[in-house]
Amino acid sequence: FRPYLKRLLLAGLLMAVAAGATAALAYMMEPVLDQIFIERDRSMLVLVPVVVVIITLIKGAASYGQGVLMAFVGQRIIADLQSRIFRHLLYFDLAFFHDNASGSLVSRLTNDVNLMRNAVSNALTGMVKDSLTLLFLVAVMFEKDWRLALIAFVIFPLAVFPIVRIGRRMRKISGSALAELGRFTARLNE
């Protein structure tokens, strides 16, 4: 990550802007409902759509910029990693290649590295952006109604337990699928 730190920091800033825009849209719901539907303020019918469009454009531009930056960084990291792995393979002795199927090595150089690219580009982005969005939305929740927010925080941990169990099972299945893909590629190559 070190050579791409500036791009990653800029992507992080854009993720924060996108998360803030999401929270801003959520924050606007109460005034919109109160002023348009309860107070029947017709001037808000003009102002609200303009503000929503501006916030949505900001969110879209930030999400696009962050997506481009993260895709670039992910591709560069994977290209660097593939080059390092290939240079490393060049110096192994023949016994290593005799003991390891070439298809398995090809699978590691292509499939496993592509999975890492997805992890860098998608998982890292999702983790940072979703965490920031959650943080901003929680702040909006507490600002709007702290009692209701506390009730949600008591119930939320109960929903986490099944999600954690499903995640563990998915990791096991994913590991088995990768091993099978390596065996398949080895057979195909042979």
Side-chain angles (χ1 to χ4, degrees):
F1 288 109
R2 197 172 305 127
Y4 310 106
L5 190 59
K6 288 180 183 176
R7 284 186 172 97
L8 286 170
L9 290 175
L10 181 58
L13 176 66
L14 291 172
M15 287 180 213
V17 169
T22 300
L25 288 172
Y27 184 82
M28 287 181 50
M29 286 300 111
E30 182 184 14
V32 165
L33 293 173
D34 288 349
Q35 292 178 1
I36 292 177
F37 294 110
I38 295 173
E39 296 174 15
R40 300 199 184 274
D41 184 358
R42 292 185 185 267
S43 65
M44 293 302 287
L45 288 173
V46 174
L47 181 62
V48 169
V50 171
V51 172
V52 167
V53 167
I54 290 170
I55 291 173
T56 303
L57 287 173
I58 290 170
K59 180 182 175 182
S63 295
Y64 176 76
Q66 158 264 283
V68 168
L69 286 170
M70 290 304 292
F72 175 82
V73 169
Q75 292 290 355
R76 291 305 321 148
I77 287 173
I78 296 312
D80 294 346
L81 187 60
Q82 283 178 323
S83 295
R84 287 176 59 193
I85 292 172
F86 184 72
R87 281 194 307 270
H88 191 66
L89 283 175
L90 289 176
Y91 293 102
F92 280 139
D93 60 2
L94 286 176
F96 173 81
F97 294 104
H98 181 69
D99 294 339
N100 293 287
S102 57
S104 178
L105 296 174
V106 170
S107 175
R108 289 198 186 277
L109 201 58
T110 57
N111 298 324
D112 293 3
V113 173
N114 280 330
L115 288 173
M116 287 180 63
R117 183 194 67 229
N118 289 338
V120 169
S121 297
N122 299 336
L124 183 65
T125 299
M127 194 170 62
V128 172
K129 188 176 179 182
D130 292 345
S131 297
L132 289 171
T133 301
L134 179 66
L135 181 70
F136 289 142
L137 288 174
V138 165
V140 169
M141 283 174 54
F142 275 99
E143 196 276 328
K144 293 295 181 186
D145 189 348
W146 65 270
R147 288 179 204 94
L148 189 58
L150 282 177
I151 291 170
F153 275 97
V154 169
I155 294 173
F156 178 73
L158 300 175
V160 169
F161 294 119
I163 293 171
V164 169
R165 291 185 69 194
I166 290 170
R168 287 183 186 145
R169 291 181 68 197
M170 291 300 291
R171 279 193 295 275
K172 285 181 184 176
I173 292 169
S174 178
S176 299
L178 283 175
E180 191 61 38
L181 184 61
R183 287 191 290 274
F184 172 73
T185 306
R187 290 230 171 116
L188 187 64
N189 187 48
E190 289 166 4

